[in-house]
Amino acid sequence: MKLELRGITKRFGSFTANDAIDLVVEPGEIHALLGENGAGKSTLMNVLYGLYHPDGGEILIDDKVVSFAGPADAMAAGIGMVHQHFMLVPVFTVAENVELGHEQTKGFGILDAAKARREVTEVSARYGLSVPPDALIQDLPVGVQQRVEIVKALIRNAKVLILDEPTAVLTPQETDELMEVMRTLKASGTSIVFITHKLREVRAVADRITVIRRGKVVGEASPNSSSAELASLMVGRPVQLTIEKAAHEPGDVIAEVDNVRIVDDAGQVVVDDVSFDVHAGEIYALAGVQGNGQTELTEAIIGLRPLDGGRITLSGRDITDSDVHDILRADLGYVPEDRLHDGLIGSFTVAENLVLDRYDSAEFSKGPSLDVGRIAANARQRVEEFDVRTQSVDAPGSTLSGGNQQKLVLARELSRPLKLLIVAQPTRGVDVGSTEFIHRRIVAERDGGAAVVLVSTELDEVLGLADRIGVMYRGKIIGEVPAGTSAETIGLLMAGTVPDDLPARLRDPGATATGSRTTVRTEEPL
Amino acid sequence: MSTAATTRPGDEVVIHRVVEKPMSTRRRVGIGVAISVLGLLSLLLGHNAQAHDARFDLSQGSEFFHVPDLVLPVAATAYVIGIILLAVGAYQAVRGFRPRGLRIAGTGIGALFMLAFLSWAASGGKGSTIDLLGVLENTLALAAPLILGALAGVLCERSGVINVAIEGQMLAGAWAGAMFGTLMGRFGGVLTALVAGALMGWLLAVFAIRYLVNQVVLGVVLNALSLGLTGFIYDAIMQPNANTMNTPQVFQPLQIPVLSKLPLVGPLIFDQNIIVYLMYALVILIQWGLFHSRWGLRTRAVGEHPKAADTVGINVLRVRYVNVILGGAIAGLGGAFMTLGSVGSFTKGITSGNGFIALAALIFGRWSPKGAVAASLLFGFAYELQTLLSLVAPPVAIPSYFLAMLPYLATIFAVAGLVGKVRAPGADGEPYVKE
Ligand SMILES: Nc1ncnc2c1ncn2[C@@H]1O[C@H](COP(=O)(O)OP(=O)(O)O)[C@@H](O)[C@H]1O
Ligand SMILES: [Mg+2]
């Protein structure tokens, strides 16, 4: 099946997310759509999938114009999509999710569970996508959830499969497996639109590459192009792909996390006796796939989450039971991973967001009232210093782009001297320009003598910034490795495998500290 | 199934080790103390008993064979139960039940304490006989509208629309049932009650789904609307012409051949009016359909993750409309039960909070039909207890205003204490907007 997009234009209000985009996907090819965050890739694919109605342009299948009123039409035409944020019902089983919308019935709308299960098993066997049909989605790791999404599309006979940033949530090994699946699908005649902003992957698997910038197609590239070429095409200027930083000189231990254990409301041990320490002038990275306890651990450190065991000290002071206010006063800075939800208040102005943690200090208040003048002056200075692109300091925080919101949060947290800085996913959804800036500021903070804990699921970011790396897997730090460790080794750790060549002292510092190992319950593989 | 020869990292399925999160000590001990207090109370009841025996009547007379009365020595029964509860309370305070065990134990504790309490209540003066079968029959009759109301809630909230307007929908059904039941015969009354409830449901749907009005506020407004409208029509039309407008024929119980002659369950379950039989059918149909039919799968999907449903081609808004309107109709039937199934006429505000208790039953029953039935029965029993205690003259008179509080007390305790953390459908109350 040949798919063609001609002059697709999509506007959100006055903002043009897709501007007359042309794209041809030939039968049986892997076509990469490369572009920065916010370039308009997802929007384009949502148009193709019938979720958005284009303001202009047309879609052609095998040279015939088609129009989609909704996803049902797109699926009927042979288009399948794996969304960037999975479209799976967490409390449903795999089979139920796959069936939803095209249910196998015994007639009269009565579900035929056995037939559904058989169908799932068949398709997953045919393409080597093993999924457990009866497991609940919420119990599955994202890699498996992604396979469920693919099975879901294939069961509906997708001839063109759209994968929107499929590797963002995967370990390097899982990414390799996904690429293998993509090749299998291609061999069986399915075309794939592969959306990503990661250059290595594009070059490894794509037959053809279309680059999108600010809603426009800016060129085609061959998979043989160098990373630097692709990057500059994507960003529109030459970019520096590596992070510059001097050798680090660690000082005293600043923060100590000792046998911390967190159990969530469902009774899952999300952080399992984790211990590590961070020195002054050091960036300690907590690497790992999303959902392995990093979020909970950082929330616990800044006092947002009670511990079920263990101790946290900051400069020798026990802060385990202190509240957030006291912990911030102890010179801890925190850049949360969900900046719109936890990092700032969308309806507050830029200026207000910059003093959220200090509005009550003498600096910004006059008796019981706020010192609006000082707050505004502070905002102008910070906005300048951190290159926050905003119309004014009185614009609501929600009107800023992702990268600028992140710089806003960083500007607030770095505006006081810190002993410990915790940054979680600092560059997720952030454009390349802002990413460079944010990385430089983090390194500068380290060089200024602060201890930094970096939580990141991006391996490149971890490798570029960290002086020491703890890899989290299922709530444990299963390995701690120095900077310069190969991506391969860290990838294995992220997938839960401790490589044999790893020196014993580097393995599982949590377990050695307690002298015990807890067993992890794993369900039988299929 | 094993296509991949080697197991790959992603094949392992469970992410985290699952442990039982220990209940906080305060909560554990608190619950233990509460159980022990019930135990002490039982001992006290035993001490306070006047007559030696309490007599419970368990038959109606039409069964295949006569079930003998249950005769319990009051003091001994209450003492034994008191000691059991003290032991259970101590266990809970010291060791603590697991959540599931606690739920089962809780049911048992409630039943035992009630037995002790009723024995005591029947021991006033020379002792009286409690018609236990009658009590249970009344419980069911009182629970029926609650069950129907809660089912309405299940349909709406499982599809993602909060329904605070159950009360108003029931009221509309009760009114339509009475007035049109008088004019068109009782079956016509039931039909119009369904339509009236559905219309109220439709209003909720339009404003919640189409105009994205805050669903809780909207529900409150719809209740006020229903109360005002039915009250006005009652004053203006029904009361002045009570004979021609407000005297529907009441549905009489229909005995199911053979089944109604079984001891205990026969008179209790199979000797009911047609609305109750309809209710049985609805409970079974919805409980089964929610988990085994296409309708159920789609309804739950839309209530949990509407966008996921949308991306597989399900019309989210239509599913919600259908369920909310159906829900309204079922609540309307609950209202009709009050006028056509028991009372036999409409009065202003006849539902008197039943819709809200149904809402509580929905939550207490964790958004499942069978849970809602159990919760409704509990609340129905609390109502019935109130009547019972005013009839039997227990050894110590219990103030009537305290008795009147019972159903609401039971509701508050049930929802606040026993339910603990429950999970509503993921998208409950969230309107779905495309683009
Ligand atoms: N529903 C929406 N309403 C308004 N703006 C949107 C919407 N969806 C996306 N955008 C904007 O369109 C641009 C492109 O977004 P998107 O297609 O998600 O980018 P990409 O997938 O390439 O990262 C972004 O600037 C984003 O803010
Ligand atoms: Mg995207």
Side-chain angles (χ1 to χ4, degrees), chain A residues 49 109 139 144 263 267 519 526, chain B residues 1 10 13 17 19 21 294 311:
Chain A
Y49 192 61
D139 295 335
V144 181
V263 183
T519 40
L526 289 177
Chain B
M1 187 203 80
V13 165
R17 198 154 57 97
V19 297
K21 176 151 181 143
R294 176 162 55 201
T311 56

Side-chain angles (χ1 to χ4, degrees), chain B residues 93-315:
Chain B
V94 178
R95 298 286 302 276
F97 286 97
R98 291 166 166 240
R100 199 185 146 74
L102 188 59
R103 228 171 303 146
I104 297 167
T107 314
I109 290 164
L112 282 178
F113 179 74
M114 265 305 129
L115 191 65
F117 182 76
L118 289 180
S119 303
W120 167 80
S123 78
K126 295 205 171 55
S128 46
T129 303
I130 288 186
D131 177 7
L132 194 57
L133 187 61
V135 167
L136 295 178
E137 278 175 341
N138 291 342
T139 297
L140 182 61
L142 290 165
L146 300 180
I147 292 175
L148 287 166
L151 283 182
V154 168
L155 288 194
C156 295
E157 305 215 350
R158 281 288 187 164
S159 71
V161 178
I162 292 180
N163 187 357
V164 180
I166 299 173
E167 175 84 2
Q169 293 161 352
M170 284 173 86
L171 196 57
W175 160 76
M179 188 159 128
F180 292 94
T182 316
L183 296 172
M184 303 160 54
R186 49 197 183 168
F187 285 100
V190 169
L191 216 64
T192 38
L194 287 169
V195 173
L199 274 176
M200 291 295 297
W202 173 79
L203 274 180
L204 175 69
V206 170
F207 284 101
I209 300 171
R210 175 116 176 260
Y211 296 109
L212 317 179
V213 177
N214 177 300
Q215 294 171 9
V216 174
V217 174
L218 175 62
V220 172
V221 170
L222 288 178
N223 285 334
L225 173 75
S226 185
L227 189 64
L229 218 55
T230 56
F232 169 73
I233 297 174
Y234 176 75
D235 282 344
I237 307 178
M238 294 172 84
Q239 203 181 20
N241 313 299
N243 286 334
T244 50
M245 286 290 185
N246 199 9
T247 46
Q249 236 192 332
V250 173
F251 285 106
Q252 296 306 319
L254 297 171
Q255 296 183 353
I256 307 262
V258 186
L259 288 179
S260 66
K261 299 253 182 299
L262 293 173
L264 282 178
V265 289
L268 186 56
I269 297 176
F270 300 110
D271 184 7
Q272 296 287 354
N273 69 42
I274 187 143
I275 299 182
V276 176
Y277 290 130
L278 214 57
M279 177 192 85
Y280 295 161
L282 283 170
V283 169
I284 293 169
L285 204 68
I286 294 176
Q287 174 72 43
W288 177 85
L290 215 41
F291 299 96
H292 295 97
S293 77
R294 176 162 55 201
W295 160 77
L297 189 72
R298 293 186 172 193
T299 298
R300 287 185 294 133
V302 161
E304 288 287 346
H305 194 337
K307 185 132 196 236
D310 192 6
T311 56
V312 291
I314 293 171
N315 186 334

Side-chain angles (χ1 to χ4, degrees), chain A residues 251-262:
Chain A
D252 300 339
V253 171
I254 295 287
E256 217 170 339
V257 170
D258 186 17
N259 280 318
V260 165
R261 175 183 175 80
I262 300 170

Side-chain angles (χ1 to χ4, degrees), chain A residues 41-42 84 164-165:
Chain A
K41 308 178 297 283
S42 296
Q84 190 167 0
D164 193 353
E165 307 251 3

